[in-house]
Amino acid sequence: MDHFRLIDGVLHAEDVPLPAIAAAVGTPVYVYSRATLERHARVFREALAPLGDPHLAFAVKSNPNLAVLRVLQREGYGADVVSRGEMERALAAGIPASEIVFSGVGKTAAEMVAALDAGIGQFNIESEEEGLELAEIAAARGTIASCALRVNPDIDAGTHEKISTGKRDNKFGVPIDQAVAMYARLSALPGLAMRGFAMHIGSQLSDLAPLEAAFTRMGELIAATRANGGTVTHADLGGGIGVPYKAGEVMPSPAEYGTMVARVSQGWDVRMMFEPGRVIAGNAGVLLTQVIRVKRNTNRDPFVIVDAAMNDLARPALYGAWHDFDAVAPNGARMTANIVGPICETGDTFAMGREMDAVEAGDLAVFRTAGAYGATMASSYNSRGFVPEVLVDGDKWAVVADRIPAEQIYAAERVPDWLA
Ligand code: LLP
């Protein structure tokens, strides 16, 4: 459930009419709803209540905006980060270092140093090589890194291949059949305090079965590790729950997920950890856009050309992802059209042959479910700059990220003397 709804025929974010935001800051603009973020954060937490006091780390990559992180910090969420930049954002938003988990296959030595100095709560180590390097760096600094070993359970998550992470051929984690021995070797290193295992098999999962299969392997791994004399106090089950992108689409609910996890993890006797991203932020945001013009070709569906493009919302171009497209002030008429942006490549297509609200030049519309992996994946392709972000809270709203125009980006560029 989200808080974007029609009031007197006009789409609102909570109590704010979207045309008011468009008039004040222009389009395209990402609009987030605080009430929706909080609702999702609470529903997810309540769903996991049977697990005692799990550690909830919001996947910063899904929406790293400082104000969004702040909302989640106030809900008691920590952060799952994959770069120094994300770590610094989480800290800047007030999330304590001890509540931050550092994931990722390519942590650099400099990032390890920065994270150790900040007092990061947990490193999720993705290879033995990484563990050895981190151990050395930590020992040299006279400190100990708390770690989980990320394992690759070799499970097909059944999601888009570009966002599947738990198959043997993916770059993530260590092969689960090597994990017991590797864990023992890493546990013996002076700079590391190994405290458990981590998993994340993919994103936008529409079925709980692959997750259940992976978590079952996690349980077997914990038992095998203990039988081998190892100590396991934490288990990080990652993120991945899918969200509905189409009106009426049904996804596993957080409650169903929580029930499944509680069943599978019985007797593990560990602190459970989670890294949800999309399920918290996805339906808490829309990308508000304006129709530039409708281009009508004979015998074909018209092209609805909007002022948002693939650089602003990359998911359709990258994954063929569906985002519902709704007029801000629908008049009841419908049309079938191709929705495209202004960028000069055919990949800049949001939808083909879409049955949708009828729109005309100048109309406002939204791409829904753009709160996760939206603004964060933007680029400045075609020198379009970066669009602003707005956070709504009841009847008030604020710009929480300024528009960054092209000239601000090329201000960082130089023409060398020898070309002058
Ligand atoms: N933990 C780890 C280690 C991850 O790699 C991810 C996402 C998450 C947690 C959060 O997963 P979530 O709960 O959001 O599914 N750009 C793609 C999604 C990439 C996800 C990458 N990892 C998209 O737009 O669909």
Side-chain angles (χ1 to χ4, degrees):
M1 205 211 93
D2 62 55
H3 290 80
F4 295 94
R5 62 198 191 292
L6 291 171
I7 300 176
D8 297 333
V10 175
L11 192 60
H12 284 55
E14 303 188 22
D15 301 328
V16 177
L18 291 180
I21 294 174
V25 300
T27 55
V29 53
Y30 278 95
V31 181
Y32 309 130
S33 152
R34 173 181 176 171
T36 311
L37 286 166
E38 285 179 352
R39 180 185 148 78
H40 293 171
R42 287 173 195 175
V43 165
F44 191 75
R45 181 183 293 289
E46 278 157 27
L48 298 175
L51 303 172
D53 176 32
H55 180 263
L56 304 179
F58 176 64
V60 171
K61 65 174 82 73
S62 67
N63 190 324
N65 183 277
L66 289 180
V68 169
L69 297 183
R70 184 73 181 168
V71 169
L72 296 170
Q73 180 271 333
R74 292 169 66 123
E75 288 297 310
Y77 276 61
D80 163 52
V81 305
V82 294
S83 69
R84 181 175 182 163
E86 285 191 352
M87 178 184 82
E88 277 163 5
R89 277 175 176 276
L91 293 170
I95 296 174
S98 59
E99 301 296 308
I100 300 178
V101 176
F102 201 142
S103 305
V105 297
K107 300 176 200 80
T108 64
E111 286 180 317
M112 292 176 182
V113 167
L116 284 169
D117 287 354
I120 205 99
Q122 176 172 304
F123 291 86
N124 285 353
I125 297 175
E126 303 233 13
S127 63
E128 185 155 20
E129 293 86 343
E130 180 192 335
L132 293 169
E133 185 173 351
L134 178 59
E136 221 168 88
I137 290 173
R141 304 180 81 74
T143 179
I144 293 178
S146 282
C147 298
L149 181 61
R150 178 166 176 187
V151 293
N152 184 320
D154 192 23
I155 299 266
D156 185 348
T159 185
H160 191 280
E161 62 170 50
K162 287 188 187 163
I163 54 175
S164 181
T165 50
K167 284 187 279 187
R168 198 176 37 231
D169 296 343
N170 299 139
K171 66 181 173 182
F172 300 98
V174 304
I176 194 158
D177 51 354
Q178 298 172 23
V180 173
M182 198 181 293
Y183 192 82
R185 291 194 295 276
L186 292 171
S187 298
L189 299 174
L192 302 187
M194 297 304 297
R195 56 186 207 171
F197 296 98
M199 254 183 200
H200 172 79
I201 64 167
S203 195
Q204 184 56 11
L205 306 190
S206 54
D207 183 2
L208 292 179
L211 286 166
E212 177 156 2
F215 300 163
T216 302
R217 291 193 184 170
M218 169 74 95
E220 293 161 2
L221 177 60
I222 293 170
T225 302
R226 287 180 176 150
N228 192 43
T231 302
V232 180
T233 56
H234 290 72
D236 181 343
L237 300 187
I241 310 184
V243 302
Y245 277 91
K246 286 182 191 172
E249 192 177 12
V250 178
M251 283 287 159
S253 68
E256 289 164 329
Y257 174 81
T259 304
M260 180 274 283
V261 172
R263 183 176 66 244
V264 176
S265 66
Q266 245 169 44
W268 286 10
D269 191 24
V270 292
R271 174 126 198 249
M272 304 286 284
M273 304 174 72
F274 297 88
E275 304 169 353
R278 192 185 320 257
V279 72
I280 306 292
N283 281 305
V286 298
L287 175 58
L288 177 58
T289 185
Q290 187 170 36
V291 177
I292 297 174
R293 68 180 58 87
V294 179
K295 174 176 171 177
R296 293 179 206 278
N297 299 350
T298 43
N299 299 331
R300 306 231 336 246
D301 291 336
F303 287 102
V304 168
I305 304 168
V306 295
D307 64 359
M310 65 190 282
N311 71 302
D312 307 312
L313 177 63
R315 303 191 68 261
L318 214 45
Y319 318 116
W322 177 294
H323 285 262
D324 274 349
F325 181 82
D326 296 317
V328 164
N331 62 13
R334 306 286 291 174
M335 73 194 291
T336 300
N338 307 317
I339 310 166
V340 300
I343 281 183
C344 293
E345 60 178 273
T346 304
D348 187 23
T349 297
F350 291 107
M352 293 296 287
R354 180 73 68 89
E355 208 268 311
M356 54 182 245
D357 290 334
V359 289
E360 285 302 334
D363 287 354
L364 294 171
V366 293
F367 290 103
R368 293 202 185 238
T369 319
Y373 307 109
T376 180
M377 290 174 67
S379 78
S380 64
Y381 188 37
N382 277 206
S383 289
R384 288 170 47 83
F386 291 96
V387 304
E389 295 165 81
V390 160
L391 181 68
V392 171
D393 182 4
D395 60 3
K396 63 177 186 282
W397 61 274
V399 174
V400 294
D402 291 338
R403 185 180 301 282
I404 302 180
E407 50 273 30
Q408 217 167 306
I409 296 171
Y410 70 67
E413 299 171 16
R414 301 278 174 279
V415 177
D417 294 347
W418 39 268
L419 275 181

